[in-house]
Amino acid sequence: MNKILSNKGFLALTFSASLALAGCGGGSSGGGSSSAGNGNTNNEPMTTSFSEVDGPLDAVQQPLSEQVLAPIIAGAAGTPLEGPVSCVSSFVVTDVLDILDSVLVNVDPATLQSDPTALFTDSAANFQATVSELVADLPVALASLAGESCTGGGGGSSDPLAALAGTPLAPLAEALAPVLAMASGGGSGEPPTPSVLLAQLSAAFSEGRQTILAQDPSGQISGAPVLGGLLTTLDTALSDLALTAVALEDMDTTATSAAVSVTVENLLNGLLIDVVPIGFIEDQAGQGAIISTQIKAAVASIAGLLGGDFGGLPSGGFENPAEALFGPLSDTFLTGLQSALAGGLAGGGGSNAVGFDALLEALAPLQALLSQGGGSGDAGLTGTPLDVLIAPLVTVFDGGAGACPLAATPLSALCAIPTSFADALALDNGADLLAVLTGLPGLLTGLAQR
């Protein structure tokens, strides 16, 4: 990835202080403006909406921001976790997906085959502008993990990453510093092309993260719910974007569509399974990837629309498949999870301290709570942490609903969970529900393949 590829005249603009996101040709579809175009100076919020570039992925960004992550942020309100989740999640949802939207907004399946170079030339300036915005926002997002506000140029320091000094995240700042300096013109020669910059940024982030993991043999950071998922998702997103930029600069339609598809798929899975701690809860239950398997299948159906030379890209965006995934996911699972988050993070130390130590301190009781099943007063259906996710779904049935709320959605296989429990109890009131649960991964896999 260190090889500097010939850009064939594509993306000839260099990274400069005058390059602004105002050139992205469209205001925020979320109805507000952010720091786009000002390099995050003047202490303005990093983002104030789910999207800064109008494009088809807005239909994914909006529910991610408003239906999935908002309840997590609300559950963490008033705690050291609130700022980092809000800031880093906003960075991932807005900046990363806006880079892809800067390309997708120019996709015209009707003319792409006859004139593929038009896609790349039309996308060049906007792609570079969104990459520039990501580079400016990354230090701010990481600084929020150490208690800094989600603003640029704040805290009395021109270097947001200075906030990580003396914390376990210091290796990230040390690895990223030379790359960020080069991107801002601090090195010798011209700033690099987006593919080279993203490759170096990805390599530096991975190096810093691996150093953190090596210095954390207990797994306190990597194993922490939410926090571990945020770092992993960021690492993967930067790597995927680097490959996407190479494909763009090579003007390779097939490689570009594949890279965009993979980036979206990995990002959605990271946010929905790792940042939203569904995977953590499944691991603690030890009963298989019952829910995350179905989420991955649903996400793959959305990402698949981007593959195959963009031939499946829907003209109206992703409204229908996105709604089928995010609606039932948020309505069914996140209410119970938000309650568990609020309960796990509330009270305790009573300290108003900020910083990374305070973040780890707040995550400890949350980890314990999610490991025990959400702190419910009874044993629950399974007696495992999965009750946090399954109980809301079963409650709908107990309330007399006529059909599973996930029916006719990509998550419909989850409808088998409450009915399997009900059938087991009807046959034998002393049924081992954990044994029933253990057999569900195979059942759900079979249902998903029908």
Side-chain angles (χ1 to χ4, degrees):
M1 292 301 297
N2 290 325
K3 178 182 178 182
I4 300 179
L5 301 175
S6 169
N7 62 20
K8 303 177 185 177
F10 176 58
L11 295 174
L13 297 175
T14 60
F15 281 83
S16 64
S18 63
L19 187 59
L21 268 180
C24 285
S28 165
S29 57
S33 62
S34 79
S35 58
N38 61 21
N40 283 327
T41 58
N42 301 323
N43 226 20
E44 293 186 12
M46 187 180 74
T47 54
T48 58
S49 62
F50 63 83
S51 172
E52 300 303 323
V53 177
D54 289 323
L57 287 179
D58 287 1
V60 173
Q61 289 171 295
Q62 183 172 13
L64 271 178
S65 176
E66 298 176 358
Q67 294 173 229
V68 175
L69 295 171
I72 302 300
I73 296 168
T79 76
L81 186 61
E82 180 183 10
V85 173
S86 176
C87 191
V88 180
S89 297
S90 178
F91 168 82
V92 173
V93 172
T94 303
D95 285 10
V96 174
L97 291 179
D98 272 357
I99 289 177
L100 304 182
D101 252 347
S102 72
V103 177
L104 293 175
V105 73
N106 292 299
V107 172
D108 181 0
T111 61
L112 191 59
Q113 296 301 318
S114 60
D115 186 16
T117 61
L119 168 64
F120 303 101
T121 55
D122 291 345
S123 304
N126 291 347
F127 181 80
Q128 190 163 9
T130 51
V131 170
S132 182
E133 179 75 355
L134 178 141
V135 172
D137 285 347
L138 178 58
V140 179
L142 294 177
S144 72
L145 296 174
E148 293 295 309
S149 61
C150 194
T151 59
S157 171
S158 60
D159 178 16
L161 288 180
L164 302 184
T167 76
L169 296 183
L172 268 181
E174 295 165 3
L176 288 169
V179 181
L180 294 172
M182 176 188 61
S184 62
S188 59
E190 292 185 353
T193 62
S195 66
V196 173
L197 176 59
L198 286 170
Q200 293 179 349
L201 201 63
S202 172
F205 192 97
S206 294
E207 176 188 344
R209 180 171 168 269
Q210 289 303 317
T211 302
I212 291 170
L213 299 183
Q215 296 176 356
D216 179 39
S218 66
Q220 184 182 24
I221 297 174
S222 64
V226 184
L227 174 62
L230 282 173
L231 294 176
T232 301
T233 301
L234 273 173
D235 196 359
T236 302
L238 291 173
S239 176
D240 289 341
L241 286 176
L243 294 176
T244 302
V246 170
L248 276 165
E249 292 185 10
D250 274 354
M251 296 190 179
D252 187 332
T253 306
T254 300
T256 299
S257 65
V260 171
S261 177
V262 168
T263 303
V264 169
E265 185 168 12
N266 288 340
L267 189 73
L268 292 181
N269 284 331
L271 289 171
L272 298 178
I273 298 172
D274 297 327
V275 176
V276 178
I278 288 177
F280 176 86
I281 293 171
E282 289 176 332
D283 288 342
Q284 297 303 311
Q287 302 298 323
I290 292 174
I291 293 173
S292 60
T293 296
Q294 303 311 311
I295 292 175
K296 288 180 179 179
V299 167
S301 68
I302 294 177
L305 299 174
L306 295 165
D309 295 346
F310 299 117
L313 183 66
S315 58
F318 295 86
E319 286 86 351
N320 292 334
E323 181 181 351
L325 170 62
F326 295 116
L329 180 67
S330 59
D331 294 344
T332 306
F333 297 115
L334 294 189
T335 299
L337 187 55
Q338 180 183 4
S339 175
L341 284 168
L345 291 167
S351 170
N352 293 323
V354 296
F356 191 73
D357 289 342
L359 177 60
L360 290 180
E361 183 180 349
L363 285 170
L366 173 63
Q367 184 166 357
L369 188 66
L370 295 180
S371 300
Q372 297 165 4
S376 57
D378 52 40
L381 283 167
T382 71
T384 78
L386 279 173
D387 287 335
V388 173
L389 303 173
I390 294 175
L393 179 60
V394 177
T395 299
V396 173
F397 282 82
D398 291 342
C404 174
L406 305 182
T409 78
L411 300 177
S412 60
L414 293 176
C415 295
I417 291 179
T419 54
S420 293
F421 287 133
D423 291 345
L425 286 172
L427 292 172
D428 181 359
N429 192 45
D432 183 355
L433 294 182
L434 276 177
V436 176
L437 183 64
T438 303
L440 279 176
L443 169 63
L444 296 180
T445 300
L447 288 171
Q449 294 174 346
R450 289 182 181 178

